[in-house]
Structures are given as C-alpha cells and as structure tokens.
Amino acid sequence: MKSKYVLLASTMLISVATFAQKDQIKAAEKALKAGKSDEAKTILLDAESVITNATEAEKAQYYFVKGNVMLDLANKSIDKDNNLSLAAGAFQDLIEVEKASGKSKYTAQATKSVIDIKYKLINEAIADSKIDKYEVAAKKLYDAYQLDKKDTINLYYAASTYVNAKNYDAALKNYDELKKLNYSGKGTNYFAVNKLTSQEDMYLTAAERDRMIKLGTHEKPRTEVIPSKRGEIYKNIALILVQQGKAKEAQQAVADARKANPEDTSLALTEANLYLEAKDFDTYKKLVADILVKNPNDADLVFNLGVLSANAKNSVDAEKYYNRVIEINPAYTNAYINIAALKLENEKPIIDEMNKLGTSTADMKRYDILKKKREELFKSTIPFLKKAVELDPKNVDVAKTLLNVYSALEMTAEYKELKAKIQ
C-alpha cells in the first residue's frame, strides 16, 4: 500500500511541475507583450531546468516564446550578438521539436524569424568588416550559414573573412568544409533596372527577370556570369598550409584538387605558384608549359602567369607574358600598366647608386651615365602608360605616374596637356 501512495505522490509532483511550466511560459509571453523582455527572459530561465519533462506542445511554445524574447532584446541592442544567437537557437529547437511531433503550430513563423536573423547577421557582418572587425564579422557569417546550410555562399564569405582576421585555423576549417561540399560558387545572376527606383534588381533566373521586363516595370536587362571560386578555395587552403609550414601538404592538396577539377585553370595556376615559391623552377616551368598548351590564347591566364613571374622577381618572364597578353588582346589595360611598373622598378637601383657617388671626375662621369640610363628607362614606359591612360582615362593613378615621367623628362608640353585632361 505504501508504494501506491509514493507513486501517487510522484504523479502529483509531475502534474504540479507541468502546471508551473505552463504558468511560467504564459507569464513570459505576457511580459513580452508588455514590452518587458528582460523580465520575460528571467521567467524563462527559471523554467529552463524542467522544460525537458514538458510535453512536445509545451516545449514548442517555450522555444517560440524564448526565440521572440531573445530577438526582441537583440532588436533593442541589448547584448545584441549573444541574444541573436540565442534567438536563432531557440527557433531551430522549436522547428526540430515540431518536426519530431508531426505538428507545426509555430514552425512557419519560426522559419521566417530564422531567415530574418540570418539577414541581420549578414548585414551586421558587412558593417563589422567595414570597420575591420573581421573576427566578429566572420563568426556572424558562419552563424548565418549554420541557420541556412543551403546558402553556402555565407560559409565561403566566413572563410574569406577569417583570412582577413588572420585566424587561419578557423579559415582552414571553413575552407575544408567547402571542399567537402565540392562548393564552386559558379552561377549566373540576372539584372534589370527598376523604372521606379532607377536601381538594378537581381533575379535568380532569366525567366523571372524577363517577366518583369514584359510587365513594363523594368528595363536594361544585364546578365552576369559568376566564375567558379573553387580555384581560390584550394589556393587559400594551400597558402594557409604553406604558412603553417606544411608545404608538401599544400602541394598535395592542390594536386588532389586538380585531379577532381582537371579543367580548372585557376587550380593549375595555384599549383604552379606553389612550386615557384618552393623554388622548384623545373616543375614550375613544366606546369606553366602544360597550362599554355591547353589555353594559349587565354589573355587572363597569360596575365596571371605574368603576375606569378613578377612576384617571383622574374621580370624577364613577366614582361614576356604581359607582351603576349597585349598580342592576344590589345585592349588589356592592366598588361600595359604592369609592364610600365616592371620597368619603373629598375629606377631604384639607379637612384641608389647615384646617391652614393661623390664629386670626383670619375663619379661625375658615372653620374651622367646613370642619369641618361634613368631617362631612357622613363622614355621606355611612356608608350605603355599612354596606352593605359587612353584605355582607362578615369584611372588617376596611372595618369599621375605618366605626369611624373613627363616631369622627370622635362616634357613640359605633354605634361600640361595631360594635366588639363585629368583636372
């Protein structure tokens, strides 16, 4: 008989706890509606320890109220980052509970709130990045990805932002996740100008964009092809591994990536660059030769080979590649700019030697030779700088470089003519 009384007493205790939970949830909901989110949060914290024993319906209601309380606090800028995270977690818990129970009283509203939180995190991450708070921004982007794993672009941006924050371990973790997902980011965006706002609106499909044009609300359609980011991802994985002193692992990582993506020239460039940095020039030249055989007239590819060579202080090869770019595409502005830059790099050793000379007859003769050499160097840059200015008249930096060259050569008429154009 005693055991029956004990069982009855236990049942009564559970019932009392259930009623207490219901009352606490209702009290928290009431406090939230009254604008007392702090009070609502305290009430929910008191109920948290016993919520595991609640019914599925009560759990769903608890998480729904908790999510809204935390979101309200975040919207009031009270411990914003933490409360946004807690709100997102509560809504996700709610969705899981209702999915398991087969009921969906709050799921639709919770899903909408999760999406809203995702975009809040993204917008705040953009704002944080603008003021160089990269670590904070990267975490928010990663949290945004966690809320919607179909939107993998946020994982990519989180990885890139962790690189900016110099948190290479976190960046590598994210890049590895992108690698496992075989993420490329390749796609197409469709734009049209909204006649009402004069701003470009973006559409995910051409049909959707074209429908708006037919309706007469939009005009000036434009299509933007988004190139694959896979090469950049593997490149960054490799560069991080190199920085961590794992050069062999880096080479293996890119080699594996190339096997999986044999047509991705950006990966081929990354692999070539790794061997270049390792001063394995034979392997580097072989890889470059293979790249050029497959893509001899790819101006972007040849330009990148020029950049790799310039970074390796191999100015002869760099200039050769840049000149080849101009042969392929005479309107390739950056090739002209980079050739001029290569040539101007040779000014420093001339100036350094001139500054060391004394006033002896021999030194004065040497000074005159160096002066002439410097003038010839400047003259050699003029055709390339002029062409760059012609192709891109809004590039003020290039125009200023050309002005400096004219000034150094005392080409007064040319200086005045160009100066008048850029003012």
Side-chain angles (χ1 to χ4, degrees), residues 131-160:
I131 54 173
D132 299 340
K133 292 171 68 176
Y134 295 119
E135 186 84 25
V136 177
K139 185 181 183 307
K140 287 176 182 174
L141 288 165
Y142 185 75
D143 288 346
Y145 163 68
Q146 290 291 93
L147 292 178
D148 182 5
K149 291 199 171 182
K150 291 183 295 221
D151 204 354
T152 42
I153 188 71
N154 291 317
L155 178 60
Y156 166 76
Y157 284 135
S160 302

Side-chain angles (χ1 to χ4, degrees), residues 102-118:
K103 296 176 182 178
S104 56
K105 183 177 179 181
Y106 302 108
T107 294
Q109 293 175 68
T111 302
K112 183 179 180 299
S113 294
V114 166
I115 293 169
D116 288 344
I117 292 169
K118 182 183 87 167

Side-chain angles (χ1 to χ4, degrees), residues 61-76:
Q61 186 183 10
Y62 169 83
Y63 289 128
F64 183 66
V65 175
K66 180 181 177 181
N68 284 316
V69 167
M70 300 307 173
L71 185 54
D72 187 59
L73 287 167
N75 289 338
K76 291 174 179 174

Side-chain angles (χ1 to χ4, degrees), residues 21 184 210 252 255 299 329 370 420:
Q21 287 161 10
S184 77
D210 295 344
Q252 188 60 51
N329 179 6
L370 291 171

Side-chain angles (χ1 to χ4, degrees), residues 339-348 377-378 381 385 401 405:
I339 288 177
L342 274 178
K343 291 178 179 295
L344 288 171
E345 282 178 6
N346 294 319
E347 183 199 11
K348 188 178 184 302
L377 185 151
F378 280 148
T381 68
L385 291 171
T401 302
V405 168

Side-chain angles (χ1 to χ4, degrees), residues 319-342:
E319 188 168 352
K320 179 185 75 175
Y321 288 127
Y322 293 142
N323 278 316
R324 175 63 185 140
V325 172
I326 292 168
E327 285 178 24
I328 298 166
N329 179 6
Y332 205 113
T333 310
N334 285 341
Y336 295 99
I337 293 171
N338 282 18
I339 288 177
L342 274 178

Side-chain angles (χ1 to χ4, degrees), residues 1-7:
M1 290 294 289
K2 248 183 183 178
S3 62
K4 288 182 181 178
Y5 288 123
V6 171
L7 181 63

